């Protein structure tokens, strides 16, 4: 019985995701569903990315949080168009939540739309929102056991940002193990080692974005 209900929820989600997909295609916008555990550095990555791209790509952002508008304020202060979704408790974004705010975010002229998902290493990866691709952030302070313990997000993502590499000297995380385990789950995963604090590695990521979007 439970399995049936879950299947129906996912089917309904896929239908609305396809509607979103159509709207994104019509607007000519490339959409990235950005996922991670809370605090891995999604918003920091978007701030760095906006500055580094420096108008090479016109971007917009949808922020997903359980509550609050802090992330939208951080992004909005950079002059990037942004809309905040508050899920009111739900631990992931679904296609319908994104669909409901699309009318408020003019997509005309936008080349790349980031959707920052709710901080959670599990179910955001289960719900398509109509994106072109999923990208995940894992900060090295979360520990090198995470790929094998939370495989789905690594499998669903096309790129993995290994963030906070400035903190490597202060952790016992084995970055080679993270990369090896992540690649064993998803051999086509593109991995970027980045520090949003120092800016190290950011240009490789933004070059990848430009190549994928243009
Ligand atoms: N040392 C260090 N701290 C970082 C880095 N990236 C983000 N942070 C910090 O980590 C915390 C969470 O970052 P945030 O971008 O809000 O994460 P989010 O919850 O995934 O959006 C903040 O205090 C950031 O300043 C990094 O590369 N190095
Ligand atoms: Mg955030
Ligand atoms: Zn959830």
């Amino acid at each position: 019985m439970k399995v049936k209900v879950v299947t129906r929820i996912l089917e309904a989600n896929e239908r609305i995701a396809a509607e979103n997909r159509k709207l994104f295609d019509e607007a000519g916008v490339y959409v990235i569903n950005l996922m991670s555990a809370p605090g891995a550095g999604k918003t920091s990555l978007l701030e760095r990315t906006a500055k580094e791209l420096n108008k090479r790509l016109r971007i917009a952002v949808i922020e997903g949080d359980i509550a609050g508008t802090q992330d939208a304020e951080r992004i909005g202060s950079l002059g990037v168009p942004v809309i905040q979704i508050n899920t009111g408790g739900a631990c992931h974004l679904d296609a319908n939540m994104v669909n409901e705010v699309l009318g408020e975010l003019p997509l005309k002229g936008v080349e790349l739309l980031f959707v920052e998902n709710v901080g959670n290493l599990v179910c955001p990866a289960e719900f398509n929102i109509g994106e072109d691709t999923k990208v995940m952030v894992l900060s090295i302070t979360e520990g090198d056991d995470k790929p094998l313990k939370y495989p789905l997000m690594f499998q669903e993502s096309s790129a993995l940002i290994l963030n906070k590499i400035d903190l490597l000297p202060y952790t016992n995380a084995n970055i080679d193990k993270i990369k090896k385990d992540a690649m064993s789950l998803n051999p086509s995963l593109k991995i970027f080692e980045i520090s949003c604090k120092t800016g190290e590695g950011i240009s490789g990521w933004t070059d990848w974005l430009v190549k994928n979007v243009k």
Side-chain angles (χ1 to χ4, degrees), residues 36-52:
S36 81
K42 297 178 296 304
T43 312
S44 303
L45 181 72
L46 293 179
E47 290 170 322
R48 273 279 177 189
T49 302
K51 288 180 193 155
E52 176 77 19

Side-chain angles (χ1 to χ4, degrees), residues 36 39-44 74 116 163-164 166-167 195-197:
S36 81
K42 297 178 296 304
T43 312
S44 303
R74 285 166 65 183
E116 179 179 337
N163 189 33
K164 308 196 188 181
D166 58 290
L167 297 178
S195 167
C196 290
K197 186 175 180 196

Side-chain angles (χ1 to χ4, degrees), residues 4 15 39 61 72 82 108 111 128 139 141 151 155 159 172 174-175 206:
K4 239 187 189 161
R15 250 193 335 272
V61 174
V82 61
K108 204 170 150 27
E111 294 168 288
N128 289 327
S139 55
T141 48
Q155 287 162 332
N172 58 359
N174 180 342
I175 199 165
T206 49

Side-chain angles (χ1 to χ4, degrees), residues 59-78:
I59 70 173
V61 174
I62 294 175
E63 284 293 348
D65 282 290
I66 290 175
T69 56
Q70 294 93 332
D71 285 2
E73 284 157 24
R74 285 166 65 183
I75 299 299
S77 73
L78 300 173

